[in-house]
Amino acid sequence: MSNTPFELTTIGRVESSLKDLAAAPKQGREGAPDAWLVFEREMVKGLEGLGPGDQVIVLTWLDRAQRDVLRVHPRDDLARPEQGVFSTRSADRPNPIGLHPVEILAIEGNRVRVDQLEALDGTPILDVKPLLRQDQASS
Amino acid sequence: MSNTPFELTTIGRVESSLKDLAAAPKQGREGAPDAWLVFEREMVKGLEGLGPGDQVIVLTWLDRAQRDVLRVHPRDDLARPEQGVFSTRSADRPNPIGLHPVEILAIEGNRVRVDQLEALDGTPILDVKPLLRQDQASS
């Protein structure tokens, strides 16, 4: 098996009051603030069809993560035994892609306001997808 | 804003009876077959803590997608008007990352059996994350 590299494109950046990794909540539903997604101008065409009230998944590139880590203490809690990163939502992993389910609050040109986003200010945005019923697989 | 490229690593590949893009279902819950995720040997440490019955999200790189497309007919249905790709789950988009909610059926070394995966045979795997209640945002 080859290990071909693929190159990602930054389609925008997060604009948020969250500046500090240590202070950021681990998940959006744990008290994260509303934030702006600021898209590159040439990407605005791709936003057509989205509007306030839509539930979407924002994909980000967690550019402050460590990529050579395969085992972590869940939620950075040293009292919990180490686990493989793929059984956790740690940002540290070979491909640090963040998944953020949010609701769109407003759209103003290339700026999209969303609720409860735990990504830090300046985080690159990779994609936005509508949330499907299939993403909500029951246990 | 700079358009810094980021490089992805292939952590494994999908092994599936689905070989043909035209015949593949658009979503796993639309009749996709069970499939194997075959991980690179050095990634196996990262799987620790996962087991049968776990609900996870598999992230793939949809390597047959077109990356210069910003508007599509939803579900390739020409009767439906074009929309921005970010309001659809089209594979064609600037960063063609597939999100696949699946259940783990079995783990055998570096091979993980999952249910209902619509990714084609050979598709590169980027990440596996446990499904959180937060991903199941209510509408």
Side-chain angles (χ1 to χ4, degrees), chain A residues 8-9 48 71 95 97 129, chain B residues 9 48 71 95 97 129:
Chain A
L8 293 166
T9 304
E48 207 182 290
R71 291 165 56 87
N95 294 302
I97 298 170
K129 298 180 193 286
Chain B
T9 304
E48 207 183 290
R71 291 166 55 87
N95 294 303
I97 298 169
K129 299 179 193 288

Side-chain angles (χ1 to χ4, degrees), chain A residues 46 48 50 127-130 132, chain B residues 71-75 82-93:
Chain A
E48 207 182 290
L50 291 174
D127 201 4
V128 174
K129 298 180 193 286
L132 299 182
Chain B
R71 291 166 55 87
V72 293
H73 295 281
R75 300 184 61 88
E82 279 194 340
Q83 287 177 215
V85 287
F86 304 126
S87 75
T88 79
R89 292 291 280 247
S90 169
D92 298 329
R93 53 207 311 126

Side-chain angles (χ1 to χ4, degrees), chain A residues 25 30 34 36 54 60 78 84 122:
Chain A
E30 297 176 1
D34 299 351
W36 288 102
D54 286 353
T60 61
L78 298 180

Side-chain angles (χ1 to χ4, degrees), chain A residues 17-62:
Chain A
S17 59
L18 283 178
K19 314 279 184 195
D20 179 15
L21 191 56
K26 297 199 183 301
Q27 299 297 332
R29 300 293 179 252
E30 297 176 1
D34 299 351
W36 288 102
L37 310 178
V38 184
F39 289 88
E40 303 281 344
R41 288 279 169 196
E42 66 267 28
M43 296 293 167
V44 169
K45 272 204 307 187
L47 297 174
E48 207 182 290
L50 291 174
D54 286 353
Q55 306 282 335
V56 296
I57 303 176
V58 180
L59 284 76
T60 61
W61 184 252
L62 302 169

Side-chain angles (χ1 to χ4, degrees), chain A residues 79-93:
Chain A
R80 295 174 66 173
E82 278 194 339
Q83 287 177 213
V85 287
F86 304 127
S87 74
T88 79
R89 291 293 279 249
S90 170
D92 298 330
R93 54 207 309 126

